[in-house]
């Protein structure tokens, strides 16, 4: 049994930083940078027996746009449907229900997100990005 919370005081920064700094998308992110991303987003901690086993955050204006980032379950806890519980909790969170545009980037979890209505860009010609790294 897991517990998912948006209470930032429960987040175990060391667990989050340790995972992210080894991930393909956040390799080398400093602990200060992790703390800054947490400060500026709606965050979801996943806990099992009071130990953090997962995380996700959403950059949002709570009205129009929600962008999922840094979603993970630690490797030793995968295969238990915890990522599905996390995504379900995020997309059904009461404060995000007015958001009409949801986005994310992933190299390897397309199957997971498609189960929740995410798809390839419908109009890629309308989307632009500016990547500095």
């Amino acid at each position: 049994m897991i517990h998912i919370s948006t209470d930032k005081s429960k987040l175990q920064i060391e667990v989050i930083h340790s995972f992210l700094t080894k991930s393909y998308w956040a390799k080398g992110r400093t602990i200060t940078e992790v703390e800054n991303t947490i400060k500026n987003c709606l965050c979801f901690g996943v806990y099992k027996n009071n130990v953090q086993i997962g995380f996700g955050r959403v950059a949002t204006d709570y009205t129009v746009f929600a962008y999922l980032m840094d979603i993970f379950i630690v490797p030793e806890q995968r295969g238990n449907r915890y990522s599905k519980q996390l995504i379900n909790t995020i997309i059904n969170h009461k404060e995000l229900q007015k958001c009409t545009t949801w986005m994310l980037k992933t190299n390897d979890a397309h199957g997971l997100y498609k189960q929740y209505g995410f798809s390839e860009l419908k109009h890629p010609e309308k989307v632009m990005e500016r990547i500095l790294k």
Side-chain angles (χ1 to χ4, degrees), residues 20-87:
L20 290 178
T21 196
K22 297 172 193 152
S23 70
Y24 71 81
W25 69 88
K27 190 175 296 285
R29 193 177 291 171
T30 68
I31 198 154
T32 301
E33 290 169 331
V34 169
E35 290 170 338
N36 194 42
T37 64
I38 288 169
K39 180 176 78 173
N40 291 296
C41 290
L42 175 61
C43 297
F44 296 80
V46 183
Y47 307 92
K48 185 174 182 182
N49 300 322
N50 295 318
V51 174
Q52 187 162 2
I53 63 161
F55 177 74
R57 64 187 180 94
V58 181
T60 185
D61 61 10
Y62 297 97
T63 305
V64 177
F65 189 75
Y67 192 96
L68 277 65
M69 293 184 280
D70 294 341
I71 307 290
F72 73 85
I73 300 295
V74 295
E76 57 273 15
Q77 294 295 331
R78 292 182 186 160
N80 296 307
R81 303 178 56 87
Y82 298 153
S83 60
K84 291 181 181 186
Q85 291 178 51
L86 175 57
I87 300 305

